[in-house]
Structure formats: C-alpha cells, structure tokens
Amino acid sequence: MRSSSRRAAFAALFASSALISLPALAQEAGNGDDEDSNVIVVTAQKRSENLQNVPISIQALGTKKLDELNISNFSAYSQQLPGISAQSAGTPGTSVIYMRGVASGGDGNHSGSLPSVGVYLDEQPVTTIGGNLDVHVYDIARIESLSGPQGTLYGASSEAGTIRIITNKPSTAGVEARVDGEINRIEHGGHGGKLEGMVNLPLSSSAALRVVGYWQRDAGYIDNVAGFLTFCGTTVYDFEGNVVGCLKDGITVNNAAQVKSNVNYTDSYGARAALKVDLDDNWTVTPAVMYQNTKSHGSYGYDPSVGELMYKHYYPDFRNDKFVQAALTIEGKIGNWDVTYAGAYLDRKTYAENDYTDYAEAYDSYYENKGGLAYWFYYQDSAGATIDPRQRVIGTDHFKKLSQELRIASPQDEPLRFVGGVFFQRQSNAIHQDYKIDGLGPQVSVNGFPGTLWLTQQERIDKDYAAFGELSFDLTPELTLTAGGRLFKYDNSLIGFFGFGRNPGNDFSDGPFNGAGSTATGVGSCFTTNGERLFTKDSNGDWQRTGSGTLVAPVVAGSPCNNLGVYQNGTVVPSRAKGDGVTYRFNATWKPNSDMMLYATLSKGFRPGGINRRGDFGPYEPDYLKNYEVGFKTTLANGLIRFNGAIYQQDWNKFQFSYLGPNSFTIITNGPDARIRGFDLDASVFAGPFTLNVSGAYADAKILNNLCHAIDPTYACNTGGNSIDAPAGTRLPITPKWKMSATARYTAPVGAAKAYGQMNMTYQGSAPSDLRTANAAIMGDLKAFAQFNAALGADWDNFSIEAYVSNIFDERGDLSRYVSCGLCSRTYIVPNQPRTFGIRVGAKY
C-alpha cells in the first residue's frame, strides 16, 4: 500500500483539475451543444419527470454512467452513491442497507427486523429480510437513490429511503444488440472476468422482446492459511477439590484440508427477459422474468490477528443464492387518467455452509477457569467420550414475496394533480439453521437429529396492506403544495422451533440434558398436549417438569416440536405482531424560474414491529422516522452545470435495536431515540469534452438517551443490576459522517474513434462498528479510506475497448467489521477489493 501523503497529493491534484476546468464554462456555455443528453428522467414520484423537477433528494446513475464506472453489483454502485451505507459479511447478497445514518447495527437476522431501506426492481419491490437481492447490473436504464422517508408512495420498508433499479425496456424502434467482455487480475489474488450480452427484437409494430444474459467471476484475494487449535483437556482443581482451570492438552485440530489461496471467489450467472405489447394506443402490457444464481466460496472477511488478507478457518465456507422473479406491469388510460398495475412473485433460495470454530474457541477460553468445554459442556459421542467441539453451520432460507399494486394518476399538466392507489404484499421465509458437531451423540443432540447441537426451524410470514395518495396543487405557476398520506396495516407472524435438544431418557429427566447442559432452551420449552411447556420455572426460579402428556406434533416440517408460537386448541399457532397507522408527506416547492427549485419537506416513515423468538423478551414495537428537509436544485450556464443539495434533520423514535444476546442469540428491542442531522450535495459539470460529477453526504447521527443493557423506560439504566451499553450522545454505527464520490472524464476525437480518460475517486470517513461502546472497542472502528480508479479507452460506432485499474494505490479500506458470536473476540474485516487491472471490450449493433 502507498503512503497517505501520496494519496493526499493525488487528491489535491484531482480537486485542482476540477477547479481549473471551471473558467472554461463561460466559453463552453454558448456552444449550442444538445442539452438533452444531460437530462436524467426519474420515476421517483410514480411519474416520469426530469430529476431537476422532483422535490426529493435523489442521486441517480444513468445507463451511460453505470457503463463508464463499470458497475455490475451492489458493492460497486453503493460506493458511488454517498447516501448509502451497508453492513455485511462481504458475501454477495448478505448486505443490510442503510441510508442517511439510520442504522443501529446488528440487523439482517432472518428472524429479526424488517429492512429500513426499500429496494425496487422496476415497479416491483424486491426488498428481502436477511440480506439484499444483489441484482446484476447490465442493460440498466438507471439506479435511483431516494434519501429520506418514502413511506407515502413506497411503504413499510422505505423508512429511511429507497433504491430503485430501472431496466431498459423493449422497444419496437428497431433491432439492437450488444455484447461486452472483460478479463481482470486482482493484485494479491486471482483472475476474473465477465461476459454480458443483450438483444432487443421488434416482433411487430406493437410488440418487442428484450433479453439479457450474463456470467461473472469475481476472483478471490483472501487466503485461508494453516493453523491449529488445542482445547482444554486436563481439569485443574484446588486443594479443596474445586475446579479452577484446565490445561490446554486436550483435543488438537488443524485446518490442513482447508488451506487455500484466494479462497473467496464468486461465480454468478443469470438472464432477464421482458416482452412489451401495445394492446392499443392507450394500453401496454409488459411481462418480465429474471433468474440469477450466485455461488460464493470462502469468507470475505480477513482476520487481522492472522495477517492482512488472511484467516484460519477449519471448515469450508460456501453460499449459493438463486432467485427467480416473474413480474407483470400493465399501463393504460381511463379517460385522461393514467392507470398502472404492478405485480410480481419472487422466489429466492439460499444454501450456506460456514465454519463456526470461533464459537468453540471463544467458549473454551471463557469457561477455562471452569475446566473448559471438555468439563463444563457435554460434547460427547454416543459412548460418552469427549469429542472435537468445533461447529459448522448449515443454513437455508426459502424466501417468497408476492406483491401487487394498483394506482391511478391524474394528468400531469393540470394545476391539481393526484396519484394514489392500493398495495398488498405477502412475504414468507422458511428458515433452517443446523449447528453441527461431527460425532455428537444422539442423547445430547437435538431430538431426532444426531450430530445437531442447535436447530432453528421456523416459518416467518409478513403481510402488508396499504392505501396511499398524494395531492399536488399549483397555487401559482411558481409555487406548488403537496400533501400525501399512507394508511398501513401489517400482520407479521413467526412459528417453529429453536434451541437444543433434551435427553428423552426416563421421561426427559436423564442427564446430560443436551450438549450445552441447558434445561429448557429448545425441546425443554416445547408445548405438550396439556398446553403447558415441558419445563417451566417455579416461584423459586427452579426448573420443574410441568407439561404432561406428549409433545405437540411439530407444525413446521423438520422440527422436533414447537417452542415458538402460541398453544391453542391442541395445537400451536404462530406468534403474531399486528398494527396499523398513518405516514405522511407534506411539501412546498417554489420554482422562480425553469433553472431553479427550492423545496421544504416534512415526512414520516415507519418500520413494522415483530416477534422475538425468546418469549422472555417479548415482541418489539414499530419504529418511526420523522424527516425535516430543505433542498434546492439548480441548472446553470445553459444546462452545463447542475448543482443540487438538501439539508435535513431526522428524528428516529425508539428505534429497533438488534444484538447477539445469551447463547449468541439475536434479540430485538426498542432502544432510545436518535437524531440525525446532515446534508446531501450533488454537482455535475458538462464542459464540452470534459465532464465532472461530484456528490457527497454528511450525517451526524447520535442517540439522545442512554442505551440500557436491559429495557428501562427512564433510560437511567441504574436499577436491578442494569447498566449503560451506550451513553447518550454515542454515534450510531456503520454510517460514516462523510462519504463522497467524484468522477472526471475527458473525451477527444482520434480518427474515427472517441478516446477518453477517466479518473474516479470515492471516500468514506470512519464509523463505529457497533452501537454498544464495549463491543465497538473490541471490534474497532471502521477506518476511513479513499480509493482511486482510472480508465483509458476508445469508442467507435460499433466497438469499444478500455483498460482500467481500480484501487490504484491498493488502499485497504474497511467496508464492515464483525464477530462470529456474542463472546467471540476474533474480529473480521471486510475490505474493499485490492488493486485490480482489467481490459474491457464491447461490440454493439
């Protein structure tokens, strides 16, 4: 890696080039160039509008910019959109997305909170629980990032903002085809590449088909290096016979079978097709389907205690993520009103295997003064002998989403305009997590699943109903007032099993109870046919057998019994969280002329409540976000300069906070209030052959009250052994205060070609890795970093070629930090990709 002074000098040079170019604007302003190529049309308000006329803070990347920046996935475009931040283990499709600092951290568990940022593919929501749908970016019209609550037109999962991926639509104008290829090599890593293509075929004067296909290999750059572990063996006693420790002379293991260089690589492939049929002059039907399969190997986080871009894992890490979405959009007119129906069905399946040796290592050290895992736990085979305590996790999720929206919109050229409709969404997730210990005996395993220490087998269903509308009225040609609201209702449920097994010997009274020695976490708390749980605590806090009869048959297939749900009439029904309410948006927009707009907005977003798997923690309530925003949009010098900005304050009330609790168990509670103050800026310069785009975001996000270890409505955290996990004034995690991106591009004719050079820079400041100060201290802050990328190439009418280098100075930035379990102290850092050299070629017809 190069020195910070070298990078600073380069940054100064980059900034000075922008300043030097500004005097040229006056010379270029009257050159008569076509301004239309600089106009970005968005549909953020459910209408097609010039971005400069939309009173929302929007950052957009159009087709041309996506291609110029070689963007193909979420990781790439999120770096270029300063309003977006994310928390992830690095593997594609596992990111939890945040906007404008609305982040408490710890989200993403499949049983946890719904996302606070909505993601749309065209008109259809593709927001998923437990990680984003990482749609491959090719032949995309634009990506829109809408900052702030969008809860009026976009609903529950758009509390903090919305990302919209808009595809290019079929066209009857003529045949169009394109193919693009790339090969690249990562320094410190392997070789990768991609092959992409599209074809647009008019089928008649009223129908056209557009098909896209792609394959991509993201090469690895992290090594799984050799290591070994020795667990506690001999128990150490004091003179009175009390256990005081252990000797590290027990089972020794190594990872020789898993040692590999560049282990973290990903292969993805897929296709997308859309058919557009004009039924008549007013009505159009567009069915579309998309399939994508992403296979990721290895871990994308390295262990700095082992070495840069290295870790020691003892089992394979693998994730397969595939989805198919079928969508239907119908657009037409009734009279002079626009009518739109948008429906979709999404089916996503993931399968993952992950090393969980860190858990065994951490708990063996934690219980070292009690003899370690060998003495304190019961990791035994069927003969009662102590076995290798390492774990691996096999997890699957089967996520389904059905969404339907019907809306109407009045003529856009009238002084009084209305858009409104109704919305329904049902999403379900079949959740399976199997924590395996090879050779674990059946008596200490989950009942019926030998070798399984812990099992999660659940079904989650989230339903949303809404009616929405926005009314805009032009008081004068310059002044417009808008008022909107959304009536919402949610119904979320969770049912199934989680936990350890329970030794069935002697009517569940034989020991050991299970591998962890737990009395009632798991089968011990399952419902019996008399309506009681198998074991409950008495008034003295002692566990007693209370459930008579037999265990109620499992409702969720693949479970031993039911401990998550509500007993009802001889069976178990889901635990539910229901609610309803209203969100709103009020806006005043003033346009003194066609090149300037000022606006003020008051808006409110929400996120539904839900169920904790642990009954002793109870359900968590919805959280709400109020947004106060003032913004401006300007177009100067005959369209050669575009400068937009917004300043805001957001009040986040009793935000949902997820964390790893007992047994590394995800718990969700409602925390204190938080306040986020910040601004967004976006500027573009179009000076003949030179273009410059600069965007930035600042977010100062802090909690206003103490975050208590246990719930305390007073936030004093001083009763019943309670304590302060984060004092008032602590920064919210994950989101940097500053995030910026800039791109400078110069194009010049060279014979029949247009040659170009491009420089791109992204920067993000430091950020806490966790809200809880003690945990943040263990993991360390996400460090600030800047990355520079460069490209040289040439475009002909039907051919293009480009050579590029990304991360020129091989900067090692922190995208995310995480630990594997609640007691784990081994911190993993997800880095940006090391310096990469590549060549791109393309042909079009």
Side-chain angles (χ1 to χ4, degrees), residues 91-152:
T91 307
T94 62
S95 295
V96 179
I97 306 171
Y98 303 112
M99 296 183 76
R100 277 190 172 176
V102 182
S104 59
D107 301 306
N109 185 278
H110 40 215
S111 300
S113 300
L114 286 162
S116 63
V117 173
V119 181
Y120 278 67
L121 179 61
D122 290 322
E123 293 284 347
Q124 290 78 14
V126 292
T127 315
T128 55
I129 305 164
N132 67 313
L133 200 71
D134 202 344
V135 176
H136 184 86
V137 177
Y138 183 72
D139 194 40
I140 296 296
R142 63 189 177 277
I143 296 176
E144 302 173 6
S145 171
L146 284 57
S147 297
Q150 306 297 324
T152 303

XYZ file of all heavy atoms in Angstrom, residues 91-152:
442
model
N -20.004 -11.401 1.672
C -20.510 -12.302 0.642
C -21.659 -11.632 -0.112
O -22.541 -11.046 0.512
C -21.008 -13.610 1.274
O -19.973 -14.156 2.088
C -21.404 -14.610 0.210
N -21.663 -11.670 -1.436
C -22.749 -11.038 -2.197
C -24.119 -11.526 -1.742
O -24.325 -12.712 -1.467
C -22.455 -11.471 -3.637
C -20.972 -11.686 -3.670
C -20.627 -12.243 -2.321
N -25.051 -10.595 -1.636
C -26.411 -10.932 -1.245
C -26.645 -10.981 0.248
O -27.724 -11.393 0.683
N -25.674 -10.531 1.054
C -25.843 -10.558 2.514
C -25.820 -9.161 3.128
O -25.791 -9.032 4.349
C -24.746 -11.412 3.181
O -23.455 -10.826 2.921
C -24.765 -12.832 2.643
N -25.843 -8.121 2.313
C -25.744 -6.756 2.840
C -27.076 -6.289 3.412
O -28.140 -6.520 2.839
C -25.305 -5.790 1.736
O -24.005 -6.085 1.283
N -26.991 -5.611 4.550
C -28.119 -4.873 5.101
C -27.874 -3.408 4.770
O -26.836 -2.850 5.125
C -28.245 -5.077 6.618
C -29.420 -4.279 7.165
C -28.417 -6.554 6.939
N -28.816 -2.786 4.075
C -28.607 -1.457 3.516
C -29.165 -0.396 4.454
O -30.264 -0.555 5.014
C -29.280 -1.355 2.133
C -28.790 -2.485 1.209
C -28.998 -0.001 1.495
C -29.555 -2.579 -0.094
N -28.408 0.696 4.601
C -28.835 1.827 5.402
C -28.718 3.101 4.570
O -27.929 3.175 3.628
C -27.970 1.974 6.658
C -27.931 0.750 7.538
C -26.760 0.006 7.669
C -29.058 0.333 8.234
C -26.718 -1.113 8.486
C -29.017 -0.776 9.051
C -27.849 -1.510 9.175
O -27.800 -2.615 9.978
N -29.489 4.124 4.958
C -29.395 5.418 4.299
C -29.469 6.532 5.328
O -30.194 6.423 6.332
C -30.508 5.588 3.249
C -30.406 4.603 2.090
S -31.652 4.820 0.802
C -31.013 6.247 -0.054
N -28.693 7.575 5.089
C -28.694 8.790 5.915
C -28.466 8.492 7.400
O -29.038 9.153 8.261
C -29.990 9.568 5.738
C -30.018 10.465 4.526
C -31.238 11.375 4.546
N -31.178 12.378 3.477
C -32.145 13.243 3.225
N -33.247 13.236 3.960
N -32.009 14.126 2.256
N -27.663 7.507 7.715
C -27.300 7.262 9.100
C -28.330 6.537 9.927
O -28.135 6.366 11.134
N -29.439 6.101 9.321
C -30.492 5.401 10.060
C -30.059 3.947 10.211
O -30.496 3.056 9.482
C -31.852 5.524 9.352
C -32.949 4.835 10.152
C -32.202 6.995 9.155
N -29.150 3.713 11.158
C -28.559 2.390 11.353
C -28.281 2.185 12.830
O -27.651 3.025 13.474
C -27.264 2.262 10.562
N -28.754 1.065 13.348
C -28.432 0.712 14.731
C -27.465 -0.462 14.779
O -26.937 -0.789 15.841
C -29.708 0.378 15.518
O -30.407 -0.698 14.917
N -27.233 -1.120 13.620
C -26.312 -2.251 13.575
C -26.978 -3.532 14.023
O -28.038 -3.544 14.641
N -26.332 -4.659 13.682
C -26.828 -5.955 14.135
C -28.031 -6.479 13.397
O -28.576 -7.520 13.751
N -28.502 -5.758 12.370
C -29.674 -6.204 11.621
C -29.283 -7.317 10.653
O -28.120 -7.617 10.462
C -30.270 -5.033 10.833
C -30.679 -3.884 11.739
O -31.438 -4.124 12.675
O -30.221 -2.747 11.499
N -30.288 -7.894 10.033
C -30.022 -8.875 8.996
C -30.360 -10.298 9.370
O -30.354 -11.182 8.525
N -30.673 -10.550 10.654
C -31.071 -11.904 11.028
C -32.417 -12.233 10.393
O -33.312 -11.389 10.346
C -31.143 -12.020 12.548
C -31.445 -13.433 13.011
O -32.587 -13.850 13.033
N -30.409 -14.161 13.367
N -32.557 -13.466 9.919
C -33.788 -13.853 9.220
C -35.016 -13.823 10.123
O -36.139 -13.806 9.640
C -33.639 -15.237 8.586
C -32.902 -16.204 9.443
N -32.063 -17.159 8.932
C -32.843 -16.359 10.792
C -31.540 -17.870 9.916
N -31.991 -17.397 11.038
N -34.821 -13.828 11.453
C -35.947 -13.711 12.381
C -36.073 -12.298 12.938
O -36.871 -12.064 13.832
C -35.778 -14.695 13.544
O -35.713 -16.021 13.099
N -35.268 -11.371 12.436
C -35.184 -10.039 13.031
C -36.010 -8.994 12.325
O -36.993 -9.277 11.637
N -35.590 -7.741 12.505
C -36.327 -6.592 11.988
C -36.384 -6.603 10.465
O -35.473 -7.074 9.785
C -35.666 -5.295 12.447
O -35.640 -5.192 13.843
N -37.450 -6.029 9.948
C -37.533 -5.784 8.518
C -36.541 -4.683 8.147
O -36.168 -3.854 8.977
C -38.949 -5.365 8.146
C -39.997 -6.482 8.156
C -41.395 -5.901 8.220
C -39.847 -7.352 6.916
N -36.111 -4.639 6.892
C -35.173 -3.593 6.476
C -35.782 -2.202 6.607
O -37.013 -2.030 6.589
C -34.894 -3.941 5.012
C -35.241 -5.392 4.879
C -36.378 -5.618 5.823
N -34.911 -1.196 6.722
C -35.363 0.196 6.773
C -35.208 0.889 5.428
O -35.610 2.037 5.279
C -34.591 0.971 7.844
O -33.213 1.024 7.537
N -34.608 0.197 4.452
C -34.440 0.738 3.105
C -35.099 -0.215 2.114
O -34.809 -1.412 2.111
C -32.949 0.929 2.752
C -32.784 1.332 1.290
C -32.316 1.975 3.662
N -35.984 0.319 1.294
C -36.645 -0.496 0.289
C -35.824 -0.589 -0.983
O -35.126 0.351 -1.356
N -35.911 -1.730 -1.653
C -35.240 -1.938 -2.933
C -36.286 -2.364 -3.953
O -37.081 -3.278 -3.688
C -34.122 -2.994 -2.834
C -33.437 -3.163 -4.185
C -33.105 -2.615 -1.766
N -36.288 -1.707 -5.102
C -37.250 -1.997 -6.165
C -36.510 -2.363 -7.439
O -35.479 -1.775 -7.777
C -38.143 -0.776 -6.439
C -39.309 -0.630 -5.490
C -39.098 -0.341 -4.147
C -40.614 -0.786 -5.921
C -40.157 -0.212 -3.265
C -41.684 -0.657 -5.045
C -41.459 -0.366 -3.722
O -42.522 -0.248 -2.847
N -37.047 -3.348 -8.140
C -36.627 -3.677 -9.499
C -37.777 -3.279 -10.410
O -38.841 -3.911 -10.385
C -36.313 -5.171 -9.628
C -35.884 -5.657 -11.010
C -34.600 -4.959 -11.456
C -35.692 -7.169 -11.020
N -37.581 -2.197 -11.146
C -38.660 -1.558 -11.893
C -39.781 -1.167 -10.925
O -39.526 -0.524 -9.927
C -39.140 -2.469 -13.020
C -38.103 -2.606 -14.128
O -37.442 -1.611 -14.439
O -37.946 -3.727 -14.663
N -40.997 -1.599 -11.160
C -42.127 -1.199 -10.319
C -42.326 -2.110 -9.108
O -43.148 -1.817 -8.239
C -43.420 -1.211 -11.151
C -43.479 -0.168 -12.249
C -43.758 1.224 -11.697
O -44.133 1.337 -10.524
O -43.583 2.201 -12.452
N -41.572 -3.203 -9.033
C -41.858 -4.231 -8.042
C -40.833 -4.220 -6.902
O -39.623 -4.130 -7.148
C -41.864 -5.615 -8.702
C -43.044 -5.855 -9.627
C -42.901 -5.198 -10.998
O -41.833 -4.767 -11.382
N -44.000 -5.129 -11.741
N -41.288 -4.324 -5.649
C -40.348 -4.382 -4.521
C -39.628 -5.729 -4.473
O -40.242 -6.784 -4.647
C -41.260 -4.201 -3.293
C -42.606 -4.691 -3.736
C -42.694 -4.360 -5.202
N -38.315 -5.674 -4.256
C -37.521 -6.898 -4.093
C -36.743 -6.844 -2.776
O -35.723 -7.502 -2.619
C -36.558 -7.116 -5.289
C -37.331 -7.427 -6.549
C -35.648 -5.905 -5.499
N -37.240 -6.055 -1.828
C -36.633 -5.979 -0.501
C -36.768 -7.332 0.174
O -37.848 -7.914 0.203
C -37.346 -4.914 0.349
O -37.538 -3.735 -0.431
C -36.535 -4.592 1.594
N -35.668 -7.839 0.722
C -35.705 -9.135 1.384
C -35.078 -9.040 2.766
O -34.224 -8.203 3.033
C -34.969 -10.209 0.569
O -33.632 -9.769 0.304
C -35.664 -10.477 -0.747
N -35.506 -9.927 3.655
C -35.008 -9.987 5.026
C -33.725 -10.815 5.043
O -33.635 -11.850 4.397
C -36.062 -10.618 5.948
C -37.391 -9.859 5.841
C -35.586 -10.649 7.394
C -38.563 -10.624 6.394
N -32.735 -10.357 5.795
C -31.525 -11.141 5.962
C -30.455 -10.891 4.919
O -29.452 -11.590 4.892
N -30.636 -9.907 4.059
C -29.632 -9.607 3.038
C -30.287 -9.162 1.750
O -31.356 -9.649 1.370
N -29.632 -8.234 1.061
C -30.214 -7.652 -0.148
C -30.194 -8.631 -1.320
O -29.408 -9.575 -1.354
C -29.426 -6.394 -0.546
C -28.000 -6.731 -0.991
O -27.303 -7.486 -0.335
N -27.572 -6.166 -2.098
N -31.086 -8.394 -2.245
C -31.080 -9.120 -3.509
C -30.071 -8.408 -4.410
O -30.324 -7.300 -4.876
C -32.476 -9.109 -4.124
C -32.794 -10.178 -5.162
C -32.905 -11.538 -4.495
C -34.101 -9.846 -5.876
N -28.921 -9.040 -4.642
C -27.833 -8.377 -5.368
C -28.028 -8.572 -6.868
O -27.410 -9.426 -7.505
C -26.488 -8.926 -4.907
C -25.339 -7.970 -5.189
O -25.541 -7.037 -5.994
O -24.261 -8.138 -4.607
N -28.896 -7.754 -7.445
C -29.252 -7.855 -8.862
C -28.056 -7.435 -9.722
O -27.459 -6.380 -9.504
C -30.468 -6.967 -9.168
C -30.792 -6.986 -10.655
C -31.673 -7.425 -8.343
N -27.717 -8.270 -10.693
C -26.616 -7.934 -11.606
C -27.002 -6.718 -12.439
O -28.118 -6.628 -12.974
C -26.317 -9.122 -12.519
C -25.135 -8.898 -13.415
N -23.844 -9.165 -13.021
C -25.051 -8.435 -14.691
C -23.016 -8.876 -13.996
N -23.718 -8.430 -15.032
N -26.079 -5.790 -12.546
C -26.339 -4.526 -13.234
C -25.774 -4.600 -14.654
O -24.559 -4.558 -14.854
C -25.718 -3.347 -12.462
C -25.932 -2.039 -13.209
C -26.328 -3.258 -11.062
N -26.666 -4.730 -15.617
C -26.305 -4.672 -17.039
C -27.571 -4.354 -17.815
O -28.655 -4.865 -17.509
C -25.714 -6.004 -17.511
C -25.260 -5.975 -18.962
C -24.120 -5.272 -19.329
C -25.985 -6.626 -19.955
C -23.694 -5.230 -20.663
C -25.575 -6.593 -21.279
C -24.429 -5.897 -21.623
O -24.015 -5.849 -22.937
N -27.437 -3.508 -18.818
C -28.582 -3.030 -19.591
C -29.625 -2.416 -18.653
O -30.819 -2.685 -18.754
C -29.193 -4.164 -20.419
C -30.146 -3.637 -21.488
O -29.836 -2.603 -22.099
O -31.208 -4.266 -21.688
N -29.140 -1.596 -17.738
C -29.979 -0.925 -16.756
C -30.127 0.537 -17.156
O -29.136 1.213 -17.491
C -29.368 -1.032 -15.340
C -29.316 -2.499 -14.903
C -30.143 -0.191 -14.346
C -30.661 -3.166 -14.760
N -31.342 1.047 -17.149
C -31.582 2.445 -17.529
C -31.002 3.399 -16.494
O -30.379 4.403 -16.838
C -33.076 2.692 -17.707
N -31.196 3.088 -15.213
C -30.663 3.943 -14.158
C -30.875 3.263 -12.803
O -31.708 2.366 -12.654
C -31.335 5.321 -14.142
C -32.816 5.262 -13.834
C -33.515 6.591 -14.038
N -34.950 6.471 -13.805
C -35.826 6.051 -14.694
N -35.410 5.704 -15.909
N -37.113 5.960 -14.394
N -30.111 3.726 -11.849
C -30.306 3.370 -10.443
C -30.592 4.662 -9.701
O -29.806 5.611 -9.759
C -29.074 2.657 -9.854
C -28.852 1.319 -10.572
C -29.236 2.438 -8.363
C -27.601 0.596 -10.121
N -31.728 4.719 -9.031
C -32.139 5.896 -8.280
C -31.975 5.627 -6.784
O -32.417 4.591 -6.285
C -33.597 6.247 -8.552
C -33.919 6.507 -10.015
C -35.412 6.680 -10.252
O -36.171 6.708 -9.249
O -35.831 6.781 -11.411
N -31.344 6.564 -6.088
C -31.232 6.506 -4.635
C -32.043 7.645 -4.053
O -31.675 8.818 -4.184
C -29.758 6.614 -4.220
O -29.634 6.758 -2.815
N -33.173 7.313 -3.417
C -34.097 8.302 -2.868
C -33.861 8.381 -1.362
O -34.183 7.445 -0.627
C -35.554 7.903 -3.138
C -36.127 8.081 -4.541
C -35.340 7.337 -5.607
C -37.582 7.623 -4.572
N -33.292 9.479 -0.902
C -32.944 9.611 0.511
C -34.116 10.149 1.323
O -34.882 10.984 0.850
C -31.746 10.554 0.669
O -30.606 10.042 0.034
N -34.231 9.678 2.559
C -35.288 10.119 3.443
C -36.507 9.228 3.358
O -36.632 8.389 2.458
N -37.438 9.379 4.301
C -38.630 8.514 4.329
C -39.427 8.594 3.041
O -39.769 9.683 2.587
C -39.428 9.062 5.526
C -38.432 9.769 6.375
C -37.417 10.331 5.431
N -39.702 7.451 2.452
C -40.524 7.357 1.245
C -41.793 6.573 1.563
O -42.349 5.881 0.712
C -39.740 6.678 0.124
C -38.398 7.302 -0.178
C -38.484 8.724 -0.668
O -39.417 9.078 -1.401
N -37.557 9.565 -0.242
N -42.234 6.648 2.806
C -43.312 5.798 3.294
C -44.674 6.114 2.714
O -45.609 5.363 2.934
N -44.827 7.239 1.988
C -46.124 7.544 1.390
C -46.366 6.718 0.134
O -47.370 6.031 0.000
C -46.218 9.044 1.063
O -46.003 9.791 2.252
C -47.583 9.380 0.494
